[in-house]
Structures are given as structure tokens and as C-alpha cells.
Amino acid sequence: MKRLHLHISVDNLEDSIRYYSTLFGNQPTVAKPDYAKWMLDDPRVNFAISKRGAPTGLNHLGIQVESAEELAEMNLRLQQLQTDVKEEMGTTCCYAKSDKYWITDPQGIAWET
């Protein structure tokens, strides 16, 4: 089953963790000095924030998959978009190792699968 992913760059991680923990009624699933993530089931979302020098606001969106088969299915969809697809296999990002594909939508927003 897929999960929507949202990543926001923040200027104050501690204040943002307090804010989103209250909003979601949960503490982060992962908390690091520059990063926090909530894996929520209601709504089904992987919500992440980070303070890494990027401009504040939306960093990127994504669709998280749970299997190699779902990733292959998403890659086929991305290929149909007739846009550049960047492949990253075995990459380490946000304190996790994964395979992923990246695209940029017509508005310039990065999407990660």
C-alpha cells in the first residue's frame, strides 16, 4: 500500500517538532539533530521536516511504496510522463537506505518515489 510523502524545510526544528507533534497527536517516529519524521496511518502519510540550509517551505513531495513491485509499477508510471526520471539505487537519505526515482512536475516541484 502506498503512502503520501511530504517533506518541509524549516528554520527552527525544535519549534516545528512541537508544532507538528501537537497537530498530529504523535511524537516523531524518527528524530535526529537536523530531521524529524512522522509515519502516520491517519492520514496515511510520511511527513518529514528538516533543517539543512534549504529555503523554508515545501522541499519535495513523494509516494512511498512498500515493495520492489510497487516501485517498478511507479517507475512505469513515471516513464509515461515523458519527463526526465532520475534513478537512485541503494542511496542513503534521511537516515534510511532505499531505491528511488525522482521527477519534477510542471510547477517545478520535486517528486520522490
Side-chain angles (χ1 to χ4, degrees), residues 6 13 18 32 37 41 51 58 79 86 105-106 111:
L6 294 100
L13 191 69
R18 271 195 303 276
K32 303 289 183 180
K37 174 174 75 174
D41 289 325
K51 182 178 180 185
L58 179 63
Q79 298 299 329
K86 180 181 175 191
D105 77 7
W111 278 82

Side-chain angles (χ1 to χ4, degrees), residues 35-97:
Y35 174 84
K37 174 174 75 174
W38 291 259
M39 291 293 284
L40 303 169
D41 289 325
D42 185 18
R44 190 163 168 77
V45 65
N46 167 344
F47 184 86
I49 59 174
S50 64
K51 182 178 180 185
R52 297 181 176 155
T56 58
L58 179 63
N59 184 285
H60 66 273
L61 299 169
I63 299 172
Q64 179 179 333
V65 299
E66 296 182 6
S67 69
E69 292 79 17
E70 285 183 338
L71 184 60
E73 172 195 339
M74 287 304 303
N75 184 33
L76 289 174
R77 290 185 196 178
L78 299 178
Q79 298 299 329
Q80 292 173 3
L81 294 172
Q82 299 178 342
T83 188
D84 291 332
V85 178
K86 180 181 175 191
E87 179 180 301
E88 291 184 343
M89 296 295 135
T91 189
T92 300
C93 176
C94 299
Y95 302 94
K97 186 174 180 179

